[in-house]
Every structure is written in structure tokens, then in C-alpha cells.
Amino acid sequence: MRESLKLAVMILFHPIAAFEYMKRKRETLSGLMILAVIFLAAAVQIFSIYVTHYPLSTVNLRNANVVFECAKILLPVVTWGVASYAMTTILDGETKFSEAMLATCYAMIPFLLISPLLTLFSRILDLGQSGLYYGMYGAMLFWIIALLLTALKEMNHYSVGKTAVVTFLSLFTMMLIWASVALLFSLSMQFITFVKEVIVEARYLFS
């Protein structure tokens, strides 16, 4: 736990050194940090949904789907971890899957720290100051993206050019994963509907 907390602080102030440290200490870092970050990110997102000042909120509380709202934060992060690892295995990467996911989760540290503060800050803002709020939120997202790209570059010892190529291929892979999952879900729902209709017809014929 001490090593995990030390690494979290390093990520904020010395990200390059932090990712290099992560590679050196790969055997001592706990994979439980992955689950911890996912759980905390979901909790932070739920807090943001219900506490953000109404004029600045992008979620209608009456129709809010907590699972969907959490998925909007967690799904891109988890999918990036999977997709980027898949690409690095093809393009001479040096990270294991657990390391890729751990680095991806550590890149979410700014979200865990800043999003609750922004949520509380929104309580003293009105709609006319929305530009300030969304600007700060956008800066936080930019920080997270920068950490993800830094992790990809440093942990695989890529050049800037190769990092850009792997990033593009990883984004393309993410879209393929989402499209495949959406297609599978659609086919599953159609199959379930078909089975239900067959059961209804069978009951009608034998009744």
C-alpha cells in the first residue's frame, strides 16, 4: 500500500519517473490498485452526478442512469488499457497486461482528486460562469490523456513517432472493440426476442 500511494504522488508531479519506477518495481506493486481506482472512479462519478450544481450539470437527475454514467468514465479507460496492450504486443512493446492496466488506472489519479473539488466548486458558480467550470474540467481530461500517452511511451521505450502510431492504432482498436460489443449485444437481444416468440407460439399451439 505504501508503494502504491508513493507512486500515486509521483504520477502527479513526476510522471516520467513514476512510470519508469513502475517498470522497475513491477513485482512489488499490487494489482489491487486497479480495482481500487475503478471503484473510486465510479464513486467520484456518482458524487459528481448528484452534487454538481444544477445549472452546470449535464445529467438530468430524474432520468439519470447511474450505471451508464459510470460506464462513460470507466469504459474508455478500461478499453484503452486493453487496446493499447494489444497494439504493444504487436509493435515491440515491453509491458505485461497487468502493467498496462495499472499504468492506465494510475493515469486516472487526477480525476480522483480534481473531479470532487470541481463538483464542490460548481456549487458557488452559476450558468454565466460555466466556461470556467468546463475549462477546468477540460484541463483535467487533457492531463489524463497526457499521462496515458506518457505511460505508453515511457513503459515501452517508444519514440515520439512510434507512440503516435501506436496511439492511432489503439484508438482504432477501441472503436472495433466497441462496435463488436454493440453488434454482439444487438444479436443477443434479437435472439432472446426470437426465443420468446417461439415459446409464445408453442404455448398457443399446445394450449
Side-chain angles (χ1 to χ4, degrees):
M1 178 60 70
R2 183 178 179 180
E3 289 285 344
S4 297
L5 293 177
K6 175 181 178 180
L7 192 53
V9 175
M10 290 177 65
I11 289 290
L12 297 175
F13 300 101
H14 304 285
I16 294 178
F19 291 122
E20 291 177 349
Y21 181 83
M22 189 181 298
K23 288 285 289 183
R24 293 197 306 269
K25 297 290 185 177
R26 61 169 64 178
E27 303 299 333
T28 61
L29 294 175
S30 174
L32 292 176
M33 189 65 178
I34 298 174
L35 297 177
V37 169
I38 290 175
F39 174 79
L40 290 173
V44 166
Q45 182 67 356
I46 293 171
F47 176 76
S48 176
I49 292 171
Y50 288 101
V51 180
T52 299
H53 196 197
Y54 177 76
L56 302 177
S57 177
T58 58
V59 180
N60 187 337
L61 291 181
R62 293 182 179 179
N63 303 318
N65 185 322
V66 173
V67 174
F68 176 74
E69 295 301 325
C70 290
K72 287 198 305 185
I73 294 295
L74 298 177
L75 188 60
V77 175
V78 173
T79 312
W80 167 264
V82 174
S84 62
Y85 171 74
M87 290 299 99
T88 57
T89 57
I90 299 173
L91 298 172
D92 304 319
E94 300 178 9
T95 54
K96 300 177 181 178
F97 178 69
S98 59
E99 293 169 357
M101 291 302 301
L102 191 61
T104 300
C105 287
Y106 269 107
M108 291 291 290
I109 296 295
F111 175 77
L112 301 183
L113 296 178
I114 297 175
S115 184
L117 297 178
L118 280 179
T119 298
L120 295 175
F121 182 57
S122 73
R123 304 297 299 180
I124 63 174
L125 301 177
D126 55 32
L127 188 59
Q129 298 167 309
S130 60
L132 174 62
Y133 173 79
Y134 291 121
M136 295 174 69
Y137 196 89
M140 178 190 70
L141 294 180
F142 179 82
W143 189 0
I144 294 172
I145 293 171
L147 288 175
L148 290 172
L149 297 181
T150 301
L152 180 64
K153 179 180 181 297
E154 297 300 325
M155 296 189 70
N156 294 284
H157 295 116
Y158 285 157
S159 64
V160 174
K162 193 165 186 177
T163 301
V165 171
V166 175
T167 298
F168 174 79
L169 293 175
S170 297
L171 292 174
F172 180 72
T173 304
M174 288 175 65
M175 289 188 289
L176 288 180
I177 293 173
W178 292 343
S180 299
V181 171
L183 178 61
L184 181 62
F185 178 78
S186 177
L187 293 175
S188 298
M189 294 303 297
Q190 291 180 17
F191 178 74
I192 292 172
T193 301
F194 172 75
V195 171
K196 287 181 178 179
E197 291 177 352
V198 169
I199 292 174
V200 170
E201 290 294 332
R203 287 178 176 176
Y204 176 78
L205 289 175
F206 293 103
S207 61

